[in-house]
C-alpha cells in the first residue's frame, strides 16, 4: 500500500480590477466669437456662456472643445461660389471625381476663418480650460458639421481618438448650433457607440422655434438632460 502526498497549495494573490461603466466626457461645440456675436451669430447664444462655463468646472473625465477653423475660400461660404448667402448648392468630396455623391450645402456668410478673432473662443472661455481642441472644416473643399467626421464620413477629426484614449462611455454635448454642429455631432456619437447626451439649457439653435433637430436626435437615440441633472449625476458618480 502506497501513501499519496497531498499537493502543495499555492497562494495566488488577489488581483484588483477596477470596472468602470460610467466615464463622462464633455464636448463643447463651437463657442466662437463669430457664432456668438459675429458674422453668423446664433440667436441668444450669449445666454448659454455661464452655463457652459459651469459645465467646464464639473468633474468630467475630459473636457473637449471644437471649433470651425476655415480657410478663407471654404466651400461653405457664399462668397466662394459668388452666390447669395443662405442659398444652397450641391457639393462633392474632392475625391469624388465622378460627382456621384452630392450633398446640399447651405451657403453661409464668411465665418470662423482660421487665426482670426472670429474663430477664437468667446473671451469667457480659455483654451487652457480644455484637455483637447478639435478643429474642423480645415480643408477648403470639405464641410464638417460633426465633431467626429466630415459630411461624407470619409475623414475623421481627432475626436474619436481622444475619446478612446480617455475611455469615455458617455458623451455630453453643449454649445452651438443645436440644429447643425451639435445635432450632427450627437448623431455621430450614437453611431460611434457612445451613450450620448445633449444638455438642452446649454444649447442654442439657428432656428430656435423649430423642434425638428431635437426630434431627429431623439429618434437617433440621443438623450436630453440639463445643467442641474448633470451636476447632480457627476457629484454622485
Amino acid at each position: 500500500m502506497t501513501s499519496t502526498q497531498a499537493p502543495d497549495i499555492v497562494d495566488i494573490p488577489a488581483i484588483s480590477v477596477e470596472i468602470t461603466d460610467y466615464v463622462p466626457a464633455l464636448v463643447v461645440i463651437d463657442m466662437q466669437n463669430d457664432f456668438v456675436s459675429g458674422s453668423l451669430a446664433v440667436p441668444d447664444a450669449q445666454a448659454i456662456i455661464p452655463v457652459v462655463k459651469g459645465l467646464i468646472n464639473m468633474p468630467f473625465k475630459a473636457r473637449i472643445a471644437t471649433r470651425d477653423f476655415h480657410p478663407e475660400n471654404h466651400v461653405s461660404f457664399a462668397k466662394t461660389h459668388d452666390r447669395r448667402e443662405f442659398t444652397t448648392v450641391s457639393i462633392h468630396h474632392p475625391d469624388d471625381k465622378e460627382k456621384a455623391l452630392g450633398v446640399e450645402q447651405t451657403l453661409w456668410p464668411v465665418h470662423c476663418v482660421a487665426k482670426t478673432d472670429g474663430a477664437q473662443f468667446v473671451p469667457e472661455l480659455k483654451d487652457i480650460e480644455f484637455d483637447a481642441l478639435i478643429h474642423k472644416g480645415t480643408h477648403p473643399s470639405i464641410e464638417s458639421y460633426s465633431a467626429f467626421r466630415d459630411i461624407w464620413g470619409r475623414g475623421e477629426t481627432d475626436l474619436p481618438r481622444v475619446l478612446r484614449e480617455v475611455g469615455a462611455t458617455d458623451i455630453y454635448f453643449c454649445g452651438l448650433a443645436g440644429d447643425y454642429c451639435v445635432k450632427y455631432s450627437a448623431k455621430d456619437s450614437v453611431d460611434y457607440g457612445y451613450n450620448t447626451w445633449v444638455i438642452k439649457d446649454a444649447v442654442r439653435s439657428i432656428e430656435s422655434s423649430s423642434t425638428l433637430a431635437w426630434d431627429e436626435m431623439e429618434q437617433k437615440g440621443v438623450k436630453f438632460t440639463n445643467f442641474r441633472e448633470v451636476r447632480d449625476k457627476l457629484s454622485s458618480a
Side-chain angles (χ1 to χ4, degrees), residues 36-174:
V36 174
S37 59
S39 61
L40 192 50
V42 176
D44 199 35
Q46 290 275 0
I48 67 171
I49 294 174
V51 187
V52 173
K53 187 76 172 177
L55 290 165
I56 294 169
N57 292 327
M58 292 184 188
F60 287 95
K61 179 68 173 180
R63 301 161 191 82
I64 302 160
T66 73
R67 59 182 166 203
D68 279 4
F69 217 60
H70 296 316
E72 293 182 350
N73 61 336
H74 192 249
V75 69
S76 71
F77 296 164
K79 182 179 179 181
T80 300
H81 302 269
D82 196 24
R83 298 281 294 272
R84 289 185 296 109
E85 295 173 357
F86 305 108
T87 58
T88 61
V89 296
S90 182
I91 64 173
H92 301 81
H93 192 280
D95 292 339
D96 182 10
K97 304 304 182 184
E98 297 180 356
K99 299 190 181 304
L101 296 174
V103 174
E104 187 176 274
Q105 172 67 50
T106 299
L107 297 179
W108 306 110
V110 174
H111 64 276
C112 299
V113 173
K115 300 181 180 179
T116 67
D117 183 66
Q120 300 306 308
F121 295 129
V122 292
E124 293 85 350
L125 305 182
K126 309 298 182 186
D127 290 11
I128 60 172
E129 295 180 281
F130 300 104
D131 300 297
L133 301 177
I134 307 298
H135 288 173
K136 53 192 179 69
T138 60
H139 189 289
S141 300
I142 298 177
E143 176 66 298
S144 300
Y145 289 127
S146 171
F148 286 87
R149 54 191 175 182
D150 65 53
I151 59 175
W152 293 276
R154 292 194 178 198
E156 288 185 338
T157 68
D158 285 336
L159 182 60
R161 175 187 59 79
V162 171
L163 295 175
R164 287 194 302 268
E165 288 178 354
V166 301
T169 61
D170 290 65
I171 316 301
Y172 290 81
F173 291 96
C174 64

Side-chain angles (χ1 to χ4, degrees), residues 197-216:
W197 307 80
V198 172
I199 307 167
K200 292 191 73 172
D201 53 352
V203 171
R204 290 295 184 271
S205 299
I206 293 175
E207 295 292 338
S208 56
S209 62
S210 175
T211 65
L212 290 177
W214 300 106
D215 294 343
E216 193 175 329

Side-chain angles (χ1 to χ4, degrees), residues 180-227:
Y180 282 91
C181 296
V182 172
K183 179 185 77 172
Y184 286 106
S185 297
K187 290 174 63 178
D188 273 354
S189 178
V190 173
D191 284 341
Y192 275 74
Y194 294 107
N195 299 319
T196 303
W197 307 80
V198 172
I199 307 167
K200 292 191 73 172
D201 53 352
V203 171
R204 290 295 184 271
S205 299
I206 293 175
E207 295 292 338
S208 56
S209 62
S210 175
T211 65
L212 290 177
W214 300 106
D215 294 343
E216 193 175 329
M217 285 188 278
E218 185 174 30
Q219 290 167 9
K220 185 70 175 180
V222 175
K223 291 163 279 191
F224 304 130
T225 186
N226 59 50
F227 180 92

